[in-house]
Amino acid sequence: MSTQVPETETETEAETEVEHGEPLPAAQEDRMRKKSEGRAEREERAREEAAERAEAEEDRVLLKVFRFDPEVEGKQEPRFDDFHVPYEKGMTVLDALIYARDTFDSSLTFRHSCRQAICGSDALFVNGSQRLGCKTQLSDLEEPVRVEPLPHADVEKDLVVDMDHFYDQMESVEPYFDADELPDGELEEQRQTRENREKVKMSTRCIWCGACMSSCNIAAGNNEYLGPAAINKAYRFAMDEREGEDRKQHRLNILEQENGVWRCQTQFSCTEVCPKDIPLTEHIQELKREAVKSNLKFW
Amino acid sequence: MYEHDVIVVGAGGAGLRAAIAAQEEGADVAIVSKLHPVRSHTGAAEGGINAALREGDSWQDHAYDTMKGSDYLGDAPAIETLCKDSPKEVIQLEHWGMAFSREDDGRVSQRPFGGLSFPRTTYAGAETGHQLLHTMYEQLVKRGITVYDEWYVSDLAVTDEERPEDRTCHGVVAYDIQSGELSGFRAKEGVILATGGLGQVFDHTTNAVSNTGDGVAMAYRAGVPIEDMEFIQFHPTSLPSTGVLISEGVRGEGGILYNEEGERFMFEYGYASNDGELASRDVVARAELNEVGEGRGIDDEYVHLDMRHLGDERITDRLENILHLAKDFEGVDGLEEPMPVKPGQHYAMGGIETDENGETCVGGLYAAGECACASVHGSNRLGGNALPELIVFGKRAGQHAAGKDLGTAKIETGQEGEYELGEVDTPVQPGEVEPAGDAVADGGVAADTGSLSGHDVVEHAVTRERERVQALMDRDEGVQHAEIRSDVQESMTDNVNVFREEEGLKEALEDIAEARERYRDVFVKDPSRTFNTDLIQTIETRNLLDVAEAITLGALAREEFRGAHWRAEAQERKDDEWLKHTMLSWNDGTPELWYKPVILEGEDKKYEPKIRSY
């Protein structure tokens, strides 16, 4: 064993003065002192805040959270649980759910990871609308805050839905770049104009959260409909000038089939809920135009 | 039991690139990941990918900048591999359709980044990681590569020979999060760990909640040495309330840092003489905390990052994502006001020891990406060097695991080459509370299994993992993981942050030891087999304990000031003593400290340590 355990030392938290070398000595000394003060102050402040919160019930937000677990007795009947979560400025729906899980009920289940609106895993139905929990401020919502799983998907447990159908639709549009020809030389890029990159930019922002699909009445009534996310994914490639005309035509062929772009009834619900502000409805309409144009060419 | 030639654990940039490369070499490859691939944390990377693509730039210049940025703790063979392979790999991504930002002539754009002598950071707006992750996942779909998503790998199936160098990894044990099924995955050729970062060790981090250091902890417990764990990068610009990252691209485009008095402190207080805001990340992070510490911070907590002068058009073109982040998470309109920022844990420079082909000292076990340490970042990673690492070393690990000959590696792994044993004074005994008798403590299987087939080794690991899970589930009361986790996160942030002192580091070790004690009584309250995140997080918390302790032990041992590692007691870089990597080996539950020399010898030059100034 290469470690040594010395005698227990007396606590010297207040004495944090240290020997130091050349750079910025005064600044460091001051900093070390402030650090220990800062910590004591922070702890004191945290205690005060906790006490205040305990007194002020009005600082708690009431969350009504959907619960269901097919496996656990007493949870097989869907229900709503109430959680009173202490409110802090800047708190999001996801923060509140995490607090509820870590403090009140560790079986409360939901997906989340990046908590910065890029992993797309915490799309939820909050107060009747599809939103990402991590970027939805509690202060923007009416109380009580009702949190449910995404509608029109099978619930696996609590707020977790089965995403398989969504992934299947995404993958059915051949969602990968497939250029007709590549430049010679492995260090030579395919040129793309700034305008063309601008054109596809918004469509490349999709984070596969499924909010749009969940909000779409047509998709809800017709499982075969590709849905806004998959069509947007196809748009991303169909409009990319680097793929070439043949490939574009192939993509349009996929999109103009019975359950492709023509099912869209321009209700804009997908565009309204998209957390990345992708103009989904617009993209779908543009592909309808392209499909008509390409067919007219041949007829 | 599932069986494939190559099993990749993790589906971020490194994992996806490894899987594609292995398949191109003809291997039957599968990815096992606790998240669906598009949920991986690579998607959160913002700034860009460094690659010497243009006239006037060269891989040699990139290598020099990286070596200097590493404060001479990177290994030259790894750094040179990174810089040589990166241009080809970046253009490969472009050929796969990645939506890079473009110049007027249609070529991909590059911009300046901290510590770079040439504007070589290739980017896609301020969402480069998102574009990279999705582009690679698309290629995975195109190739029909098998993905077991929402399967949590909780252990490795490694033989338990006396010396780690004699052990072999035959697969992994994973838990199907959706169904609760626990199963073995046998890898006939190799297992590649690509599990990403460990930011959840700290409570203020830019990292995702899933970044719990699983790969590092599993490899460590299986006997693989872990390297330079004390070098944690704190990104100078994260949002104070959430830790959400504000890309270095903001400073690359000309964003300015101001203190409470409206002073451009990087220059006015002399933290950097030439590069100002674009000094290396460690320099800027310390400068910000100094400002706050000396009373010139805003609300005693943060500083301002201002980009308004760049103009609406440029901001929207190149940094649009930043506007959304500042608005959604801090309520600030970046076009109208400066953004509040402070340092947050961002990246682990250290990790699983590998050579430049991604191989560890355990047979059949590879690592790539943030969880690995081929030592390209040394003691401080340059912005824009993480994404090329993923694709360069992900690809090499995939190729090598699938049997491609990449030549003999110049970096030696394990305690084979030159090394010295180390000692450190610790206030408590680090490591497992009761090393013997804890099946979880050791990634290996019983010593007499040397003659077992790969299949049996995996079976054995599955049985042991079943017992461990059962024990967690059977307990009706005890301590919950969330409590243990948050205590460790707080202690690490208080004691093992940007500024470190001996006393605090020892306090952290005591806190971790106490957390280990409490972890013995941890229990899973949720009885369900369906999507039991309570169970998954309980297992993750165990990984966080091992990783937090390793970081702290390394920080306590290294009595010098190098790169991101600042020590109150040692304000100098001590090249005579410390041009060496801090290594930790688990040794059946007891951490052993040792050192191996840094390789400064490159292909045709030796990198001479110089004073690092910006």
Side-chain angles (χ1 to χ4, degrees):
Chain A
M1 176 54 212
S2 57
T3 49
Q4 297 172 356
V5 183
E7 301 279 284
T8 315
E9 287 172 284
T10 43
E11 295 249 343
T12 53
E13 199 179 341
E15 304 165 19
T16 50
E17 250 180 59
V18 285
E19 299 268 327
H20 40 66
E22 291 294 297
L24 308 167
Q28 272 151 26
E29 196 172 302
D30 199 28
R31 194 197 59 75
M32 300 310 298
R33 183 174 48 78
K34 287 210 161 111
K35 186 190 164 211
S36 64
E37 278 178 11
R39 187 176 175 185
E41 277 168 21
R42 271 207 309 284
E43 281 170 2
E44 178 59 26
R45 201 166 55 226
R47 269 195 296 278
E48 282 170 14
E49 279 170 7
E52 278 171 27
R53 273 202 301 273
E55 283 173 26
E57 271 299 308
E58 66 269 30
D59 276 353
R60 289 188 170 246
V61 172
L62 172 58
L63 248 56
K64 287 191 165 301
V65 182
F66 179 89
R67 305 299 303 273
F68 164 75
D69 187 332
E71 254 199 81
V72 175
E73 213 173 309
K75 278 187 67 185
Q76 286 146 336
E77 278 302 308
R79 65 172 200 274
F80 281 85
D81 277 358
D82 287 357
F83 295 106
H84 298 268
V85 173
Y87 176 74
E88 278 174 41
K89 189 172 170 285
M91 200 174 208
T92 63
V93 171
L94 179 63
D95 293 335
L97 287 173
I98 291 173
Y99 185 94
R101 179 195 65 198
D102 289 354
T103 316
F104 305 126
D105 182 356
S106 61
S107 73
L108 176 59
T109 305
F110 45 95
R111 289 189 180 100
H112 67 296
S113 184
C114 77
R115 86 260 181 276
Q116 63 179 76
I118 197 72
C119 79
S121 57
D122 70 337
L124 298 163
F125 198 55
V126 182
N127 282 3
S129 184
Q130 285 80 2
R131 312 169 201 250
L132 290 186
C134 66
K135 67 174 273 195
T136 303
Q137 295 282 330
L138 287 177
S139 56
D140 292 340
L141 300 169
E142 300 253 326
E143 263 199 84
V145 176
R146 210 175 150 90
V147 187
E148 299 166 74
L150 286 183
H152 307 136
D154 293 338
V155 178
E156 288 186 14
K157 178 180 171 184
D158 294 349
L159 302 171
V160 173
V161 296
D162 186 347
M163 293 289 287
D164 284 350
H165 177 63
F166 177 83
Y167 296 144
D168 288 346
Q169 298 301 76
M170 291 299 271
E171 292 180 8
S172 71
V173 298
E174 302 183 12
Y176 39 78
F177 188 76
D178 211 354
D180 289 345
E181 50 184 301
L182 287 175
D184 300 331
E186 60 181 14
L187 288 177
E188 203 45 53
E189 57 252 60
Q190 311 153 96
R191 308 275 172 130
Q192 181 186 27
T193 61
R194 295 173 74 117
E195 294 70 34
N196 188 243
R197 196 241 168 196
E198 267 319 289
K199 179 156 186 73
V200 298
K201 186 177 81 182
M202 293 310 289
S203 64
T204 65
R205 297 228 166 120
C206 175
I207 55 173
W208 298 43
C209 68
C212 58
M213 192 75 160
S214 164
S215 77
C216 176
N217 282 334
I218 318 301
N222 173 4
N223 236 8
E224 300 297 310
Y225 174 43
L226 285 177
I231 296 176
N232 172 72
K233 192 78 184 165
Y235 177 99
R236 180 254 169 278
F237 295 109
M239 294 300 173
D240 193 315
E241 65 190 10
R242 296 171 296 169
E243 272 205 339
E245 277 305 311
D246 290 354
R247 192 67 190 154
K248 180 170 181 174
Q249 192 54 54
H250 174 71
R251 293 196 181 279
L252 291 176
N253 291 343
I254 296 175
L255 290 167
E256 65 190 11
Q257 284 169 20
E258 193 185 345
N259 288 301
V261 291
W262 301 110
R263 289 277 82 78
C264 168
Q265 294 184 7
T266 336
Q267 293 178 343
F268 284 95
S269 63
C270 55
T271 304
E272 267 166 32
V273 301
C274 177
K276 305 309 279 188
D277 301 324
I278 302 171
L280 293 155
T281 315
E282 215 173 282
H283 287 171
I284 299 172
Q285 301 320 302
E286 206 178 331
L287 287 168
K288 284 180 184 171
R289 281 199 297 278
E290 288 290 316
V292 171
K293 267 168 28 192
S294 73
N295 275 338
L296 285 178
K297 254 191 288 192
F298 297 103
W299 288 349
Chain B
M1 183 178 305
Y2 300 83
E3 199 169 286
H4 297 274
D5 295 337
V6 175
I7 302 276
V8 180
V9 184
L16 297 179
R17 190 66 190 86
I20 293 169
Q23 201 207 30
E24 282 177 349
E25 290 303 319
D28 160 32
V29 56
I31 290 182
V32 188
S33 171
K34 67 179 174 180
L35 303 174
H36 183 280
V38 302
R39 319 284 175 219
S40 303
H41 194 56
T42 298
E46 294 170 7
I49 311 178
N50 296 337
L53 294 175
R54 297 287 178 254
E55 210 171 303
D57 198 8
S58 67
W59 74 258
Q60 286 91 345
D61 287 354
H62 185 187
Y64 175 78
D65 292 345
T66 303
M67 186 55 95
K68 177 185 168 199
S70 82
D71 224 352
Y72 302 93
L73 207 76
D75 284 339
I79 288 176
E80 293 192 344
T81 302
L82 176 88
C83 301
K84 264 194 261 185
D85 287 5
S86 179
K88 200 170 58 188
E89 283 303 305
V90 168
I91 299 301
Q92 173 70 83
L93 285 170
E94 203 280 343
H95 288 181
W96 286 341
M98 184 165 156
F100 283 108
S101 293
R102 298 281 165 171
E103 291 301 318
D104 288 339
D105 66 1
R107 303 189 71 186
V108 297
S109 296
Q110 296 198 302
R111 64 178 161 210
F113 245 51
L116 299 181
S117 58
F118 190 91
R120 72 170 69 88
T121 306
T122 311
Y123 61 97
E127 50 189 48
T128 314
H130 165 78
Q131 298 291 355
L132 177 142
L133 179 71
H134 282 257
T135 300
M136 277 205 281
Y137 180 62
E138 289 155 18
Q139 291 300 311
L140 207 78
V141 172
K142 184 177 182 179
R143 290 159 167 77
I145 293 172
T146 309
V147 181
Y148 299 88
D149 67 293
E150 298 193 328
W151 276 80
Y152 178 62
V153 172
S154 58
D155 206 0
L156 305 177
V158 176
T159 57
D160 194 19
E161 307 298 333
E162 176 76 24
R163 300 165 63 248
E165 296 79 14
D166 297 332
R167 294 177 195 169
T168 308
C169 180
H170 289 286
V172 303
V173 183
Y175 185 86
D176 180 358
I177 300 173
Q178 298 200 16
S179 72
E181 175 197 349
L182 187 70
S183 190
F185 285 76
R186 189 183 163 213
K188 286 183 282 187
E189 307 286 343
V191 169
I192 301 172
L193 295 172
T195 54
L198 47 77
Q200 288 301 316
V201 162
F202 293 86
D203 72 359
H204 187 81
T205 174
T206 65
N207 280 201
V209 178
S210 331
N211 288 7
T212 50
D214 298 333
V216 174
M218 287 189 291
Y220 180 37
R221 293 197 300 264
V224 183
I226 51 175
E227 180 172 353
D228 291 337
M229 293 297 289
E230 64 271 30
F231 295 110
I232 297 292
Q233 177 160 78
F234 296 88
H235 197 292
T237 58
S238 71
L239 295 176
S241 59
T242 50
V244 164
L245 174 69
I246 296 299
S247 167
E248 184 164 317
V250 176
R251 283 170 294 135
E253 297 292 345
I256 296 173
L257 291 166
Y258 293 108
N259 62 20
E260 193 191 27
E261 282 140 40
E263 295 162 320
R264 190 177 180 180
F265 58 87
M266 286 305 298
F267 283 124
E268 287 174 38
Y269 286 86
Y271 299 109
S273 44
N274 304 314
D275 295 353
E277 283 81 8
L278 267 189
S280 193
R281 288 178 177 177
D282 56 328
V283 176
V284 183
R286 281 191 296 270
E288 290 176 359
L289 286 189
N290 253 324
E291 290 302 297
V292 174
E294 289 171 21
R296 295 189 294 274
I298 299 145
D299 289 348
D300 279 334
E301 194 195 356
Y302 55 86
V303 296
H304 273 150
L305 175 61
D306 197 348
M307 61 177 185
R308 291 173 295 180
H309 56 286
L310 300 177
D312 295 5
E313 195 185 332
R314 184 150 162 211
I315 294 171
T316 315
D317 181 40
R318 298 174 178 209
L319 298 164
E320 188 186 344
N321 185 38
I322 301 306
L323 292 176
H324 295 303
L325 295 175
K327 183 85 208 149
D328 291 342
F329 298 101
E330 210 72 47
V332 167
D333 179 351
L335 294 174
E336 302 285 330
E337 314 155 77
M339 300 174 285
V341 291
K342 73 174 199 181
Q345 191 282 345
H346 183 57
Y347 189 89
M349 268 78 75
I352 303 162
E353 184 206 35
T354 72
D355 62 26
E356 64 270 35
N357 297 329
E359 229 182 341
T360 72
C361 71
V362 166
L365 186 62
Y366 296 78
E370 189 172 342
C371 71
C373 183
S375 198
V376 284
H377 309 305
S379 63
N380 173 60
R381 177 176 68 79
L382 292 183
N385 263 355
L387 296 182
E389 179 192 17
L390 304 183
I391 48 180
V392 166
F393 293 100
K395 179 183 180 181
R396 293 177 81 87
Q399 288 179 325
H400 199 284
K404 182 172 174 150
D405 183 5
L406 296 176
T408 309
K410 296 193 184 81
I411 296 170
E412 288 179 316
T413 55
Q415 286 183 346
E416 294 282 88
E418 193 189 330
Y419 72 93
E420 55 172 302
L421 290 176
E423 280 190 10
V424 59
D425 285 343
T426 55
V428 282
Q429 177 77 51
E432 194 45 55
V433 179
E434 277 179 12
D438 178 2
V440 180
D442 185 348
V445 294
D448 60 0
T449 55
S451 57
L452 287 183
S453 69
H455 185 277
D456 290 346
V457 173
V458 178
E459 275 294 320
H460 186 109
V462 169
T463 307
R464 198 188 50 200
E465 191 62 6
R466 259 200 195 112
E467 286 165 7
R468 172 197 188 189
V469 169
Q470 202 54 51
L472 287 172
M473 301 290 286
D474 283 350
R475 250 173 246 152
D476 292 330
E477 55 181 358
V479 191
Q480 285 191 323
H481 71 81
E483 234 177 276
I484 299 173
R485 190 185 280 214
S486 70
D487 286 353
V488 169
Q489 288 169 332
E490 269 172 46
S491 179
M492 291 297 285
T493 299
D494 283 345
N495 298 310
V496 200
N497 213 312
V498 175
F499 294 112
R500 298 162 174 187
E501 55 178 317
E502 185 180 336
E503 195 190 334
L505 295 172
K506 288 185 169 171
E507 196 176 303
L509 284 177
E510 286 169 8
D511 291 344
I512 294 163
E514 194 189 309
R516 282 195 190 281
E517 271 297 338
R518 288 162 72 210
Y519 192 85
R520 301 172 78 188
D521 296 323
V522 79
F523 86 116
V524 177
K525 200 170 167 193
D526 187 354
S528 183
R529 283 173 60 82
T530 306
F531 227 97
N532 193 332
T533 51
D534 195 3
L535 171 63
I536 302 301
Q537 291 180 325
T538 301
I539 299 174
E540 286 172 346
T541 298
R542 167 61 207 275
N543 293 334
L544 287 175
L545 292 175
D546 291 343
V547 169
E549 186 179 76
I551 293 168
T552 313
L553 279 174
L556 189 58
R558 186 171 287 271
E559 292 177 337
E560 66 159 351
F561 169 15
R562 184 182 299 270
H565 176 65
W566 183 99
R567 276 288 299 267
E569 302 82 3
Q571 285 296 298
E572 285 167 278
R573 191 177 85 191
K574 297 176 185 165
D575 288 344
D576 292 346
E577 238 181 300
W578 285 101
L579 276 176
K580 59 189 183 188
H581 299 292
T582 322
M583 311 296 296
L584 280 173
S585 291
W586 181 249
N587 281 357
D588 293 326
T590 310
E592 180 181 58
L593 177 69
W594 51 287
Y595 301 102
K596 70 170 188 178
V598 175
I599 307 174
L600 295 175
E601 204 72 53
E603 195 175 81
D604 44 34
K605 73 182 269 199
K606 187 172 179 263
Y607 297 85
E608 294 294 344
K610 292 181 187 150
I611 297 295
R612 203 159 61 96
S613 63
Y614 288 98

